[in-house]
Amino acid sequence: MTKPQSNEGVPRRELRRDAADNRDRVLAAAAAAVRREGAAVPMAIVAADAGVGVGTVYRHFPSREALLGALTHRSFQLVLNAASQAAETDQAGIEAVRDFLDRTIEHGPELVLPLHGGPLLIDQDTLALQAEVHRTLGSLLFRGRRDGTIRPDVRTADLVVFGALLAQPLPHVTDWNRTARRLVDIHLAGMAPTAQRLGS
């Protein structure tokens, strides 16, 4: 069996179940805290939100940079999962993109990405995840171009930026998920080949 890898690609011993649960709680609490208060949120607040001691946080993440790096890695993994699940369907390209964007909205509160103010300098494992996200999203767009549901000038970067915007709720919008899905409808209409002809 392959040993678990750290974010730096160095093998590490498998965590005990309670330690793994603590780590997951810390990451979930940290994601919410960073989204709420920014990347400078005190580690003590993260610990309190996770219901663990500060020492537990530092045992898993010896520095704020390590915690933010783990959050970014986790976020790219969630985005990759969403993109991969959309790619595994047999839907038309435009509907596969909708599937990905819907999943992104659901995961929004958990995501701390560079476009959300997360770390810009990320490790090689996270860069590999980021590249795989772009590759998978590119395959969705290629499918849509091939089946005629997506205009040829839509780029992967367009999808990445729009997904990041959807995952960052505006503070005074009472039902963000509903609003975000309306924005998805409008955005997808603009991605259709008919929109290209109308806009030309």
Side-chain angles (χ1 to χ4, degrees):
M1 186 174 65
T2 303
K3 292 183 180 180
Q5 301 286 315
S6 71
N7 282 355
E8 294 74 28
V10 178
R12 65 176 178 225
R13 290 182 303 174
E14 187 172 354
L15 294 174
R16 294 195 326 267
R17 180 59 178 269
D18 57 341
D21 288 346
N22 281 343
R23 187 179 190 277
D24 290 342
R25 277 201 301 275
V26 168
L27 285 173
V34 168
R35 294 287 294 267
R36 183 180 69 240
E37 302 187 32
V41 61
M43 300 284 265
I45 289 179
V46 172
D49 288 354
V52 300
V54 176
T56 298
V57 176
Y58 279 107
R59 255 195 314 277
H60 291 289
F61 309 104
S63 67
R64 183 189 311 281
E65 290 72 22
L67 176 59
L68 291 173
L71 281 177
T72 303
H73 186 90
R74 174 178 179 263
S75 297
F76 275 117
Q77 186 64 67
L78 290 170
V79 174
L80 178 58
N81 291 347
S84 298
Q85 287 163 4
E88 288 167 2
T89 69
D90 58 0
Q91 302 173 95
I94 196 77
E95 291 306 317
V97 169
R98 182 190 300 278
D99 189 324
F100 164 72
L101 293 173
D102 283 345
R103 294 175 191 274
T104 299
I105 293 166
E106 292 300 323
H107 284 307
E110 303 173 82
L111 301 180
V112 176
L113 294 162
L115 287 176
H116 297 149
L120 294 177
L121 298 174
I122 51 183
D123 62 46
Q124 291 302 310
D125 288 348
T126 305
L127 285 171
L129 277 179
Q130 183 184 43
E132 187 63 15
V133 167
H134 284 242
R135 188 200 66 77
T136 306
L137 293 179
S139 75
L140 298 184
L141 295 179
F142 177 78
R143 183 192 303 184
R145 295 187 198 104
R146 187 178 56 195
D147 64 25
T149 58
I150 295 177
R151 51 195 277 185
D153 60 333
V154 179
R155 300 177 302 167
T156 301
D158 300 327
L159 202 50
V160 168
V161 171
F162 186 59
L165 292 172
L166 292 175
Q168 188 81 27
L170 296 176
H172 301 300
V173 176
T174 53
D175 188 347
W176 176 252
N177 282 12
R178 181 178 179 183
T179 298
R181 287 192 166 86
R182 182 173 181 275
L183 294 174
V184 168
D185 288 340
I186 295 168
H187 191 77
L188 294 184
M191 288 174 59
T194 51
Q196 185 181 30
R197 290 196 293 272
L198 288 172
S200 60

